[in-house]
Amino acid sequence: AQSVTQPDIHITVSEGASLELRCNYSYGATPYLFWYVQSPGQGLQLLLKYFSGDTLVQGIKGFEAEFKRSQSSFNLRKPSVHWSDAAEYFCAVGDNQAGTALIFGKGTTLSVSS
Amino acid sequence: EAGVVQSPRYKIIEKKQPVAFWCNPISGHNTLYWYRQNLGQGPELLIRYENEEAVDDSQLPKDRFSAERLKGVDSTLKIQPAELGDSAVYLCASSPRQGGTDTQYFGPGTRLTVL
């Protein structure tokens, strides 16, 4: 069965420091992978996605993620965190076959300290 | 382009009362999803529509939950009667392509509190 693991429930990073949020997935075929961000009281906003091709994908707000098939990982990175990045981040996996819903991890809450 | 619209944004009800949530997807999007997000968890699918057809409702608690998508556009999710455990955020999402995985665009959600 498909599953997504986000090992870190809560991370605190200093403003201006780099960030890496971990995501591991379990899936039998080539997955479609997504990172979403959710601010308090808001819906989920897509940061970036990986369907195929270049394993390093660029997203909005300066985020990037790297797909590593050998490690079943899709970690999210940002070189310099801003206070406005404080939010909850969700990694999700989708089936590349005919339409299934996304399977989400439990999320990582990011706090940014000044 | 307008995003996914949901209403109401917040709802507080007593247990055993009925409640309904409404979703208007992005124009032209064939696929519509309803997810439930419990506190501290990621969203989990309740039901998926391709146009007006419910193609995956295996996770919908059919004894109390129902959904419809009239004319393949707007959708309504209903709970009757609500239980304390139904307190959650109900998210609607839509995607443009019918069949296959595509990017899903989420609405702001409806936060339901059952007292």
Side-chain angles (χ1 to χ4, degrees), chain B residues 37-57:
Chain B
Q37 185 178 18
N38 292 314
L39 188 64
Q41 303 292 318
E44 295 179 328
L45 180 73
L46 290 173
I47 189 168
R48 175 172 63 93
Y49 282 92
E50 299 282 0
N51 298 306
E52 65 275 8
E53 180 183 0
V55 296
D56 184 357
D57 63 357

Side-chain angles (χ1 to χ4, degrees), chain B residues 10-24:
Chain B
Y10 304 92
K11 189 76 175 178
I12 300 174
I13 61 172
E14 300 281 336
K15 64 181 181 181
K16 300 185 182 180
Q17 294 300 304
V19 65
F21 315 124
W22 176 79
C23 173
N24 178 243

Side-chain angles (χ1 to χ4, degrees), chain A residues 2 41 54 59 64 91 102 112:
Chain A
Q2 301 174 50
D54 192 346
E64 66 177 26
C91 180
L102 298 179
V112 180

Side-chain angles (χ1 to χ4, degrees), chain A residues 53-69:
Chain A
D54 192 346
T55 57
L56 183 63
V57 294
Q58 302 297 321
I60 62 171
K61 304 184 179 185
F63 286 93
E64 66 177 26
E66 186 171 11
F67 170 57
K68 293 185 177 180
R69 184 188 302 275

Side-chain angles (χ1 to χ4, degrees), chain B residues 28-98:
Chain B
H29 282 197
N30 296 313
T31 307
L32 183 146
Y33 308 79
W34 282 103
Y35 288 85
R36 177 168 60 187
Q37 185 178 18
N38 292 314
L39 188 64
Q41 303 292 318
E44 295 179 328
L45 180 73
L46 290 173
I47 189 168
R48 175 172 63 93
Y49 282 92
E50 299 282 0
N51 298 306
E52 65 275 8
E53 180 183 0
V55 296
D56 184 357
D57 63 357
S58 58
Q59 300 305 309
L60 189 72
K62 298 182 184 62
D63 57 335
R64 298 184 299 108
F65 285 65
S66 64
E68 62 182 7
R69 189 183 183 194
L70 299 177
K71 301 181 181 178
V73 182
D74 294 0
S75 178
T76 302
L77 177 69
K78 298 178 181 178
I79 308 175
Q80 183 171 10
E83 297 179 352
L84 295 177
D86 296 330
S87 294
V89 176
Y90 291 83
L91 294 164
C92 180
S94 68
S95 64
R97 195 157 61 98
Q98 183 172 345

